[in-house]
Amino acid sequence: MIITAIMLTTAAYSQKGMHINAMFNGEGKWKLKFSAAHIEGKSLKPYDLTLFRSITATDSRLYQEMEQLVESDTKEAIDKECGYINGKLYYGFFQLKPINNRYRYIFYRNSSLRDDEPNETTIVYMEGYPTLAELKEMFK
């Protein structure tokens, strides 16, 4: 129980001050608006990650604000790759400044911008030790 509390405190610290944190924690207006996953511990060891969080929204009224929150958190990204459709962020791979020697990443995809994809937007936050190139290779 103490180890779980320490892990949750570490995860919360890593995302502290990030705009997307309210979504991941289901705070305020974000409560019950997403499908979510929160993974820590042994299951991430093969990927050399320490934290994996993802949320997927299917309510199109949320997409613009989700994009704005991601763009706010990634203004000072140390590496990024983005694609846009009609001026809107379609996908983004962002590497943030490391904390405690762990890399931090935000991946974003708004599939609703394409007719041949599901009407949903997904945000993934990851921490760990693989480089951005290694992560992209793992999750192809």
Side-chain angles (χ1 to χ4, degrees):
M1 183 128 154
I2 293 173
I3 293 173
T4 303
I6 291 170
M7 287 176 23
L8 290 175
T9 301
T10 301
Y13 173 76
S14 300
Q15 286 181 258
K16 184 176 179 159
M18 295 182 69
H19 295 92
I20 62 171
N21 202 31
M23 288 186 290
F24 281 113
N25 292 335
E27 297 170 6
K29 68 180 172 186
W30 300 107
K31 193 171 186 80
L32 304 174
K33 299 284 186 182
F34 301 101
S35 299
H38 180 122
I39 306 168
E40 295 182 70
K42 291 179 185 179
S43 59
L44 293 175
K45 196 164 187 100
Y47 306 102
D48 212 14
L49 292 171
T50 56
L51 176 64
F52 178 96
R53 297 184 86 181
S54 97
I55 52 174
T56 299
T58 56
D59 183 342
S60 61
R61 296 172 295 180
L62 302 174
Y63 300 163
Q64 183 176 356
E65 189 167 356
M66 290 172 71
E67 178 181 337
Q68 290 170 347
L69 294 176
V70 167
E71 287 181 335
S72 293
D73 283 339
T74 59
K75 282 181 183 172
E76 296 181 21
I78 59 176
D79 194 4
K80 61 181 153 184
E81 177 184 322
C82 303
Y84 293 85
I85 295 177
N86 297 324
K88 295 184 182 209
L89 184 61
Y90 169 56
Y91 74 89
F93 301 104
F94 305 96
Q95 182 177 354
L96 308 175
K97 183 179 173 186
I99 291 182
N100 298 327
N101 296 319
R102 287 192 308 256
Y103 293 113
R104 302 179 310 140
Y105 303 98
I106 294 176
F107 292 173
Y108 172 88
R109 183 174 176 122
N110 184 348
S111 298
S112 73
L113 297 175
R114 293 185 46 146
D115 292 335
D116 60 338
E117 294 185 9
N119 184 26
E120 62 188 26
T121 296
T122 300
I123 299 172
V124 176
Y125 176 84
M126 291 184 276
E127 290 182 10
Y129 304 101
T131 65
L132 185 57
E134 290 169 334
L135 273 181
K136 286 181 182 179
E137 190 62 31
M138 279 189 269
F139 293 104
K140 271 187 174 179

